[in-house]
Amino acid sequence: TSNVEVIGCTPTPPPTMVPTVRPTLPPLTVETIFDSNNGFAGNSFDVDNFSDQPITITGWEFNVESLNGLDTVTGRLFWREEDTANGAEQDPDGWTQLGNDVTVVSAGRDNPTAFNFGEDITIPPNGGSRGFFWILTSGRARYTNGADVFVSDDGNVAIFTYRGIGDCEQPGDECSLFSPRIVNTRISYRLSDSSATEATVGSNNTDAMKAKREKDFDFVGILPFNEENHDDGSPNPAYTEEKQEGKTIKSP
């Protein structure tokens, strides 16, 4: 018999494969202002994507205040892809409601209040545009006199502001329109391609943005509001006869 000890060999297990997890990028944002001097039921505006990749809007915040002793407001949002919202507010054709009506607790005047409409919307690249018609069916939308273009920090996404809206619940109604008015909003978005890490502005998009700005409105920036009443007829607490004499804009 042999006195040699036989030592068994344990096979080396195969390496464990760990999937590569791509970090979740925080949402990107573009916003106008939350410094209102007027208000009624809503606003019309465009969101344009001047980057080289599609974007998907995932979140909305607006400047709203509740009325009649309530804490809540109810809002809805319509969009169109055939053309700008500018001049289409009273046209019933071409508009689609985004998701559903949303009732939320207002964060108060000049504070962002989030609205989850239950549906995202994608805007194509290289100057793709969507027009929006934002309206409250209860509560008051706060906005600012004037017109301007508000661009994201990376230069990829722009909000073109148009009119204040009142006395209606959807596009095509005989709405009261007030212009120019700046919607008070913050929009969260992401690149639609989940594998993409960044987008860049296309070579011709700066010219496209400039051309649209010149075509749509004489963008004059923020304007004071010196009328005795707001667009919805409520008293303007900033009104004085002295300001009225030197007013720079008059509501329709």
Side-chain angles (χ1 to χ4, degrees):
T1 61
S2 172
N3 295 323
V4 177
E5 182 179 3
V6 177
I7 301 175
C9 295
T10 303
T12 303
T16 302
M17 302 300 292
V18 178
T20 300
V21 178
R22 185 177 297 275
T24 301
L25 299 176
L28 304 166
T29 61
V30 58
E31 64 180 275
T32 58
I33 55 177
F34 284 83
D35 185 15
S36 63
N37 60 11
N38 207 340
F40 206 160
N43 294 96
S44 60
F45 59 97
D46 287 354
V47 179
D48 286 22
N49 175 17
F50 291 97
S51 79
D52 59 358
Q53 298 183 37
I55 65 166
T56 298
I57 298 177
T58 59
W60 300 88
E61 294 170 274
F62 292 98
N63 188 356
V64 299
E65 61 183 349
S66 55
L67 300 175
N68 303 320
L70 301 175
D71 294 329
T72 60
V73 298
T74 300
R76 58 180 58 157
L77 185 64
F78 297 85
W79 66 277
R80 59 188 292 121
E81 64 177 318
E82 296 299 326
D83 201 356
T84 173
N86 183 21
E89 294 90 349
Q90 294 178 330
D91 181 358
D93 298 326
W95 291 98
T96 301
Q97 184 171 357
L98 183 71
N100 305 300
D101 289 11
V102 177
T103 299
V104 297
V105 175
S106 168
R109 179 183 295 193
D110 295 339
N111 293 306
T113 297
F115 286 78
N116 181 1
F117 297 104
E119 183 178 350
D120 297 338
I121 184 169
T122 298
I123 302 179
N126 300 314
S129 179
R130 295 290 182 265
F132 292 94
F133 180 107
W134 145 251
I135 202 82
L136 285 182
T137 57
S138 70
R140 179 186 291 121
R142 298 294 305 175
Y143 48 73
T144 307
N145 277 43
D148 214 334
V149 183
F150 297 84
V151 184
S152 59
D153 290 342
D154 57 13
N156 286 325
V157 181
I159 301 174
F160 291 77
T161 65
Y162 299 126
R163 294 177 174 82
I165 300 170
D167 295 335
C168 61
E169 296 187 352
Q170 61 188 5
D173 289 352
E174 294 183 0
C175 311
S176 300
L177 300 179
F178 305 88
S179 63
R181 300 290 188 267
I182 297 172
V183 60
N184 288 195
T185 187
R186 178 188 295 144
I187 298 170
S188 300
Y189 64 95
R190 59 174 172 79
L191 303 180
S192 300
D193 181 358
S194 60
S195 65
T197 58
E198 64 179 359
T200 57
V201 175
S203 59
N204 296 322
N205 287 335
T206 300
D207 291 339
M209 187 184 300
K210 180 179 178 182
K212 177 168 182 174
R213 180 170 64 245
E214 293 174 347
K215 173 184 176 183
D216 284 343
F217 255 125
D218 177 16
F219 284 93
V220 293
I222 299 170
L223 294 174
F225 187 69
N226 300 323
E227 296 293 324
E228 187 171 2
N229 295 316
H230 288 147
D231 290 347
D232 64 354
S234 61
N236 175 15
Y239 169 81
T240 66
E241 292 184 2
E242 289 78 11
K243 287 184 178 181
Q244 179 71 3
E245 292 174 357
K247 66 187 178 186
T248 59
I249 188 169
K250 182 175 177 62
S251 298

